[in-house]
Amino acid sequence: MQQRQVELAVGVFILLGIIALAFLALKVSGLSFQDSRTQTYTVVAEFNNIGSLKPRAKVSIAGVTVGQVTSIRLDPLSARAVVEMAINKDVDYLTTDSIAGIKTAGVLGEQYISISVGGAPDVLEDGGKIIDTQSAVVLEDLIGKFLTNMGSKD
Amino acid sequence: MLKHIQALGAWGLGVTAGLGRATQIWCRALFALPDFRYGPRLLIQQIYYVGVFSMIIIVVSGVLIGMVLALQGYTVLVRFGAEAALGQFVSLTLLRELGPVVAALLFAGRAGSALTAEIGLMKTTEQLVAMEMIGVDPLRRVLRPRLLAGILSMPLLAQVFNAVAIWGAVMVGVHWLGVDAGSFWSNMQSSVDFSADVMNGFIKSVVFGLVVTWIAVFQGYDAEPTSAGISAATTRTVVHSSLAVLALDFFLTAVMFGIS
């Protein structure tokens, strides 16, 4: 009888631990059991300057999150940043003339990619490339431009 | 002068010998053949003492720490109008650092000291010697289930601590201070990565569990067989394992999150 109570308490304890881990996995880190590779397709875009964009940054259309940045590397020939994005499979209307721009969420917020869908008849396939891109706005450059304009007016 | 150098040498030799004995005990207890006569009964009994009894202190301090984190984080973040990032702040702090470390410190105080006192008293009353006399290896019969129970219980306790602390943060942040629940959870989910944050915290807690129980069991087994010896050993357990947890935490953090 005593042994049974001990075993029961230990069972509840282990169960609570597993429930806590599941809560952390599903609710806190947002892990889903769907295989992300079959649920998304890859789109590539080249930028002159990505600012402080990081992998796992969100990709959005009209403010709605449709995917995330998977990798960022430097193309050795053009010396431009190549950003790979995983876009959800159900977003199958990214046309070939879509524009990808790097925006900032709020003043101190993280940078993310915003895609404006164009009107071309062809859509991007897996591994497709967005030609038209807008680089991140670098605050120092803006201030520099502002200062030189001020100087030229005088 | 020579006497002081000699004392230093004796101290160094003592420390090295202690480390050697600790490693020997650990290897002989863990890598010995499992005792099939008892099955998992001894282990379950020890998880009951080490894990289940630590549950109350872990849950209560978890809720309180989550609540304090939410309150402190809110007062700073609201100045920048960034109180929506509260979920991110609380969950990353807990999962990466506070959860494993505070749970391990509580575990050292609650379960480690009890293990040392128990084994130390067994040694003082010559129960361990008696066991050896009747052909039962005390390392396998007494130390091994306690070590395994510590290694198994600590990660579970740390996960419970994290989950409960995040619940406490939700109570304060969302229900009391009025942070928007949707942005609280979505900010948390977009910033927390399962393998990088949850699993690394999990690995930390396994390492802490191993180190704390190892120190506790060794101090008990190595205690001077007097009442003063047991009390000194219990103190040493808490001090040494707290220091070991904090030092190891720095190294693990440097390895896991240092280069990103």
Side-chain angles (χ1 to χ4, degrees):
Chain A
M1 194 57 207
Q2 233 267 310
Q3 181 68 19
R4 206 172 141 252
Q5 275 173 358
V6 168
E7 282 172 1
L8 208 67
V10 170
V12 170
F13 168 64
I14 292 175
L15 212 64
L16 277 176
I18 292 170
I19 290 171
L21 187 62
F23 165 76
L24 293 178
L26 298 176
K27 188 83 179 166
V28 174
S29 73
L31 188 80
S32 69
F33 288 108
Q34 291 162 335
D35 189 3
S36 61
R37 291 206 70 80
T38 59
Q39 297 293 312
T40 60
Y41 65 103
T42 308
V43 169
V44 185
E46 278 189 12
F47 292 93
N48 285 327
N49 190 339
I50 57 164
S52 60
L53 190 75
K54 297 264 162 33
R56 283 170 39 78
K58 69 170 182 172
V59 178
S60 70
I61 297 175
V64 180
T65 306
V66 295
Q68 63 174 11
V69 173
T70 48
S71 78
I72 296 170
R73 61 193 155 81
L74 196 62
D75 182 44
L77 287 177
S78 62
R80 298 175 84 198
V82 180
V83 176
E84 256 180 43
M85 295 166 263
I87 311 284
N88 293 347
K89 262 269 159 62
D90 50 342
V91 183
D92 51 1
Y93 37 80
L94 281 186
T95 55
T96 48
D97 63 344
S98 298
I99 304 169
I102 297 178
K103 302 278 163 61
T104 310
V107 182
L108 298 167
E110 292 197 333
Q111 292 196 301
Y112 66 97
I113 292 184
S114 169
I115 300 179
S116 317
V117 181
D122 300 324
V123 292
L124 287 168
E125 299 292 321
D126 187 29
K129 188 172 175 183
I130 297 177
I131 312 287
D132 217 346
T133 60
Q134 292 168 344
S135 292
V137 175
V138 181
L139 206 57
E140 286 87 338
D141 289 357
L142 270 185
I143 295 169
K145 266 183 203 162
F146 178 69
L147 287 179
T148 48
N149 282 351
M150 290 272 287
S152 62
K153 263 177 202 163
D154 291 337
Chain B
M1 184 66 202
L2 218 58
K3 223 164 76 182
H4 291 299
I5 296 176
Q6 191 194 344
L8 186 70
W11 177 77
L13 280 175
V15 169
T16 320
L19 278 176
R21 280 199 306 277
T23 315
Q24 201 186 5
I25 285 173
W26 188 61
C27 289
R28 272 175 60 197
L30 274 193
F31 299 122
L33 278 172
D35 209 336
F36 294 110
R37 275 172 301 177
Y38 303 104
R41 228 174 57 210
L42 286 174
L43 180 61
I44 288 173
Q45 195 86 42
Q46 285 311 315
I47 294 180
Y48 183 69
Y49 289 130
V50 164
V52 178
F53 282 1
S54 304
M55 207 59 179
I56 294 169
I57 189 175
I58 288 283
V59 168
V60 171
S61 43
V63 173
L64 290 174
I65 281 184
M67 284 162 70
V68 166
L69 271 182
L71 202 54
Q72 289 283 12
Y74 182 83
T75 53
V76 174
L77 288 171
V78 80
R79 273 191 226 164
F80 306 103
E83 66 268 29
L86 188 65
Q88 174 179 355
F89 163 74
V90 168
S91 59
L92 286 182
T93 317
L94 280 170
L95 290 173
R96 290 184 176 179
E97 288 299 329
L98 276 187
V101 171
V102 174
L105 293 179
L106 292 172
F107 185 74
R110 170 67 189 75
S113 55
L115 281 179
T116 306
E118 189 190 8
I119 296 173
L121 196 68
M122 277 186 183
K123 189 182 180 187
T124 310
T125 51
E126 298 183 332
Q127 293 178 44
L128 296 181
V129 182
M131 268 186 196
E132 265 177 71
M133 293 299 284
I134 59 169
V136 176
D137 186 0
L139 287 169
R140 274 167 66 186
R141 178 71 172 74
V142 176
L143 264 60
R144 181 191 159 86
R146 282 165 179 75
L147 271 173
L148 285 178
I151 296 170
L152 288 175
S153 302
M154 187 57 230
L156 294 174
L157 288 171
Q159 300 319 305
V160 170
F161 184 91
N162 282 338
V164 163
I166 286 173
W167 179 72
V170 172
M171 292 280 287
V172 168
V174 175
H175 297 302
W176 179 31
L177 297 170
V179 175
D180 178 54
S183 58
F184 183 89
W185 287 110
S186 71
N187 244 316
M188 190 187 280
Q189 289 178 359
S190 66
S191 58
V192 175
D193 185 66
F194 182 71
S195 61
D197 298 323
V198 179
M199 281 330 278
N200 274 346
F202 190 84
I203 293 168
K204 268 188 183 179
S205 59
V206 174
V207 175
F208 293 163
L210 194 153
V211 169
V212 169
T213 31
W214 183 17
I215 291 175
V217 160
F218 168 69
Q219 292 293 355
Y221 194 76
D222 209 48
E224 204 188 314
T226 57
S227 46
I230 295 176
S231 95
T234 315
T235 311
R236 271 203 306 274
T237 295
V238 177
V239 173
H240 287 190
S241 47
S242 303
L243 288 178
V245 163
L246 293 172
L248 264 176
D249 180 55
F250 176 74
F251 285 111
L252 288 174
T253 307
V255 171
M256 286 168 177
F257 304 109
I259 310 136
S260 63

